[in-house]
Amino acid sequence: MLDRYLEFTNSAFGKQFASSLGLPTPPRLQRAESGYAAAPLAGMKVLIAADAAATASAAVLAALRALGATVQVAPGHSGFAAVKAGAQAAGVELHSEGSDSDPIAPVIVFDATGIAGTGGLKQVYELFQPRARRLVANTRVVVLARATADTDSVQAATAAAGLRGFVRSLAKEIGKNGSTANLLEVSRAGDAWLSGPLAFFTGPNSAYVTGQVLAVGDAPKGATAPAHCNQSLAGKVAVVTGAARGIGAAIAQILAREGATVVGMDRPAEEGALGATLSPLNGVGLALDVTAPDAGERLASELNARFGGADIIVHNAGVTRDKMLRNMTPALWDMVLDINLGAILNINERLLQSGLKPGARFVCISSIGGIGGNAGQTNYAATKAGVIGYAEALAPILAKKGMAINAVAPGFIETQMTAAMPMANREVGRRVNSLAQGGLPQDIAEAVTFFASPLAMGINGKTLRVCGQNWLGA
Ligand code: NAP
């Protein structure tokens, strides 16, 4: 659904009108218009800084080089020696940042993996404070902290936790011009798997992801790092449930954009819409209700017969049937629980017997409603919180099989589901986030595709909110 307020305030007259009344002017977000390039940062300046004892700089610089970035540094910053040492180790050429009157690089990466205590946080302040006022529109800030389990002391763990508050607050300050800030908490083993997360978080694919914390760790056994970012799903078979429309259709499109063959599933009543979504993608439609008792069996047979199994399973099908608990009938409760959660467990249980290829990756769609809760959504929120717990619980089991599972928690996304909301609720839902607008189905699809791809090899059991830093449950 068109966000008329955003369109209006981005016109010359609308901008002036809104600013004279002190109304918010949602920025126009820069989203990906095509698939990942082989080296997505080619031709782009990236400013890198570090704390003086940073331990991941060589890995970060090697990743930035692989992504094609032109690396800039701030020689006056107190952690410059760590960056220089990292660059020498990685064989990366450094360029000095321009003068104060030059535009700041549109990507800023701060390696804060060596901060040993509270005082060390000042180094983050020193880098960002003088630049905060001068960030260009749609700047991507990525801060790296050492994962708590891999910190050397209570003081270091405390400082690493402090970075969460810093990044979340910075994201709230810089969202006005479409800029984002996110934190990667990296284990030592995760250093080897940084190029994929950096490709996602420094690019247009993460336009609606801000103020988030994501852990990067080791990859499943036998995984190899992708040599380049383009067409990373070529030769892969991906299943998407609820693919006829809305977010599911966008997921099918973006997975196909990156090279996957998509098998889209939806209820038999949606067969026409399913065909319309999948035929331009050369995909396969499967009219099958996810709650059918034989859904797992039929899907597994189809996958095995046609493709010898699937590489990617995206559980997107979901419904809302909102009622205050006092008015909720057993039928409404059961329906939402069965579709949004029960079906995921049943289908996966069957596919894990046979129907998957080695290294399979699962992605489930949760919701920020499952994190913050919503009056009138006890059924829905129970399922969406369940999805998060399911991913956490299944991840270590899948890791032993060389597989992975993650979840994406959308905020307010412009779909038929949200178009059906009362107008006042819809308008509030759109604005209560750091980017002052609803997300698009494409935003969820980009995050799902990232998790489904080798770019997210070091991420397992995690949930990423794609919500513009919505205030719900923040
Ligand atoms: P949508 O526009 O209603 O699309 C959902 C699709 O799933 C529809 O095609 C629907 O078919 C299908 N589906 C429903 N029940 C099914 C079943 N039993 N078997 C197979 N397919 C079934 O919803 P959406 O907004 O794209 O949402 C997609 C996912 O994102 C859901 O899991 C939702 O909970 C989650 N989410 C959405 C938002 C948002 O703001 N839109 C926010 C947070 C989370 P029918 O039309 O026939 O029912």
Side-chain angles (χ1 to χ4, degrees):
M1 190 177 187
L2 192 66
D3 182 346
R4 291 186 195 286
Y5 181 76
L6 184 147
E7 294 303 320
F8 174 66
T9 53
N10 274 279
S11 68
F13 170 71
K15 198 167 271 176
Q16 209 173 14
F17 180 79
S19 94
S20 66
L21 291 180
L23 297 170
T25 48
R28 209 178 273 288
L29 303 184
Q30 202 172 50
R31 294 182 164 92
E33 284 168 8
S34 53
Y36 283 87
L41 293 178
M44 276 186 74
K45 290 177 182 147
V46 174
L47 174 63
I48 176 166
D51 72 90
T55 52
S57 294
V60 174
L61 281 153
L64 290 176
R65 183 192 46 207
L67 298 174
T70 300
V71 179
Q72 286 196 336
V73 287
H77 184 258
S78 51
F80 177 56
V83 178
K84 215 168 138 189
Q88 262 159 10
V92 173
E93 192 186 348
L94 301 179
H95 304 265
S96 278
E97 193 186 17
S99 68
D100 285 358
S101 55
D102 290 335
I104 294 179
V107 177
I108 306 178
V109 178
F110 194 109
D111 173 11
T113 52
I115 294 185
T118 322
L121 288 169
K122 188 73 180 280
Q123 298 171 87
V124 183
Y125 166 87
E126 283 166 3
L127 193 278
F128 287 103
Q129 194 282 332
R131 292 168 182 82
R133 205 186 292 275
R134 300 196 290 122
L135 297 185
V136 296
N138 289 287
T139 292
R140 299 276 176 267
V141 172
V142 181
V143 178
L144 292 96
R146 196 45 94 201
T148 309
D150 280 1
T151 51
D152 299 332
S153 65
V154 170
Q155 286 83 349
T158 307
L163 290 167
R164 296 178 181 180
F166 174 82
V167 169
R168 287 180 179 137
S169 300
L170 180 64
K172 289 190 172 170
E173 293 187 14
I174 66 179
K176 287 182 190 68
N177 76 350
S179 297
T180 63
N182 292 289
L183 178 67
L184 298 178
E185 294 187 335
V186 192
S187 73
R188 284 182 193 273
D191 286 358
W193 303 98
L194 275 173
S195 71
L198 283 173
F200 177 70
F201 282 103
T202 59
N205 313 79
S206 59
Y208 199 60
V209 184
T210 190
Q212 301 310 305
V213 178
L214 188 64
V216 180
D218 206 356
K221 235 171 81 184
T224 47
H228 47 71
C229 295
N230 62 325
Q231 290 294 291
S232 66
L233 300 182
K236 306 279 183 196
V237 175
V239 175
V240 182
T241 69
R245 58 184 168 87
I247 292 172
I251 293 171
Q253 284 152 7
I254 304 281
L255 287 170
R257 185 193 74 188
E258 299 303 326
T261 298
V262 180
V263 177
M265 251 171 90
D266 213 299
R267 295 187 319 120
E270 302 293 335
E271 202 166 359
L274 189 60
T277 300
L278 287 160
S279 40
L281 310 176
N282 293 323
V284 176
L286 189 55
L288 179 58
D289 190 313
V290 292
T291 60
D294 61 348
E297 190 56 46
R298 280 186 56 197
L299 178 60
S301 318
E302 187 78 16
L303 292 171
N304 288 328
R306 279 190 186 237
F307 307 104
D311 304 275
I312 296 159
I313 307 290
V314 182
H315 289 287
N316 162 77
V319 294
T320 49
R321 290 295 181 274
D322 298 353
K323 278 270 181 255
M324 297 300 271
L325 185 59
R326 58 180 174 265
N327 299 324
M328 190 173 296
T329 61
L332 292 183
W333 176 270
D334 291 345
M335 182 190 189
V336 172
L337 269 284
D338 289 349
I339 296 174
N340 295 9
L341 192 56
I344 300 178
L345 274 70
N346 290 339
I347 290 175
N348 284 358
E349 197 180 319
R350 174 60 191 85
L351 291 181
L352 282 163
Q353 289 165 22
S354 82
L356 300 172
K357 291 195 187 164
R361 299 185 68 84
F362 294 85
V363 188
C364 300
I365 303 298
S366 174
S367 166
I368 58 166
I371 297 169
N374 265 329
Q377 289 200 318
T378 49
N379 51 356
Y380 183 75
T383 64
K384 296 302 186 178
V387 161
I388 294 171
Y390 176 62
E392 282 169 7
L394 190 59
I397 298 167
L398 291 184
K400 290 192 188 129
K401 301 174 190 282
M403 301 179 184
I405 179 167
N406 292 288
V408 172
F412 182 100
I413 306 299
E414 305 281 358
T415 64
Q416 225 161 296
M417 198 184 251
T418 48
M421 289 166 76
M423 197 177 86
N425 294 11
R426 188 170 63 236
E427 198 46 32
V428 172
R430 276 178 174 150
R431 305 294 162 221
V432 290
N433 61 72
S434 298
L435 300 170
Q437 60 196 285
L440 301 182
Q442 175 187 350
D443 298 321
I444 306 307
E446 292 283 5
V448 168
T449 301
F450 165 59
F451 277 153
S453 79
L455 300 183
M457 231 17 135
I459 303 168
N460 192 10
K462 303 296 179 282
T463 295
L464 180 67
R465 291 172 58 133
V466 180
C467 63
Q469 200 179 23
N470 195 294
W471 301 348
L472 180 68

